[in-house]
Amino acid sequence: VQLQESGGGSVQSGGSLKLSCAASGDTRCMGWFRQAPGKEREGLAVITTDGSTRYAGSVKGRFTFSRDNTKNTLYLQMNSLKPEDTAMYYCAADPRPDCNGYGVLAYTYRGQGTQVTVSS
């Protein structure tokens, strides 16, 4: 499995960005997580094998996660961005049949990440 994120950048508080993750291989479950300097990784969202999505409370209502199966691409639309959203954002995937039972931080594969910086 290979994952390649894109779409990161710098934006002012209140702005929007859309991240993409191009995937190859078996990506049964997919998701996004982020890591800010000096902080632990934070799971953001997952999409399970039945297409349902789950979001972390910190981003629910502001971030929208979608998947285009025809392109095997994952998207993260981020609106109303805040300075505390500044982090490296990663997509992750897992091919295991029971991946629905795992959080995104436990997924087997991850991309290289894309930086998001939000200024006040």
Side-chain angles (χ1 to χ4, degrees):
V1 174
Q2 292 189 328
L3 304 168
Q4 181 63 57
E5 303 94 338
S6 61
S10 297
V11 65
Q12 289 193 329
S13 182
S16 299
L17 281 174
K18 185 173 184 178
L19 306 184
S20 300
C21 174
S24 62
D26 186 350
T27 53
R28 192 179 301 251
C29 289
M30 298 190 75
W32 291 93
F33 69 93
R34 66 186 178 188
Q35 187 165 24
K39 295 187 178 181
E40 294 191 357
R41 295 177 302 165
E42 178 188 12
L44 300 177
V46 298
I47 186 163
T48 58
T49 55
D50 62 0
S52 62
T53 54
R54 300 195 300 266
Y55 295 90
S58 60
V59 302
K60 198 170 185 179
R62 299 190 297 125
F63 290 11
T64 303
F65 178 35
S66 61
R67 180 175 183 174
D68 185 339
N69 288 324
T70 63
K71 298 179 180 179
N72 210 13
T73 300
L74 204 62
Y75 301 99
L76 185 66
Q77 176 68 47
M78 305 185 294
N79 299 325
S80 302
L81 284 163
K82 306 174 182 179
E84 51 264 43
D85 293 318
T86 295
M88 187 72 81
Y89 284 70
Y90 300 88
C91 68
D94 199 287
R96 290 173 286 184
D98 60 347
C99 60
N100 288 346
Y102 297 97
V104 65
L105 298 183
Y107 284 3
T108 303
Y109 302 100
R110 73 172 197 185
Q112 295 297 309
T114 185
Q115 177 68 37
V116 171
T117 302
V118 184
S119 57
S120 57

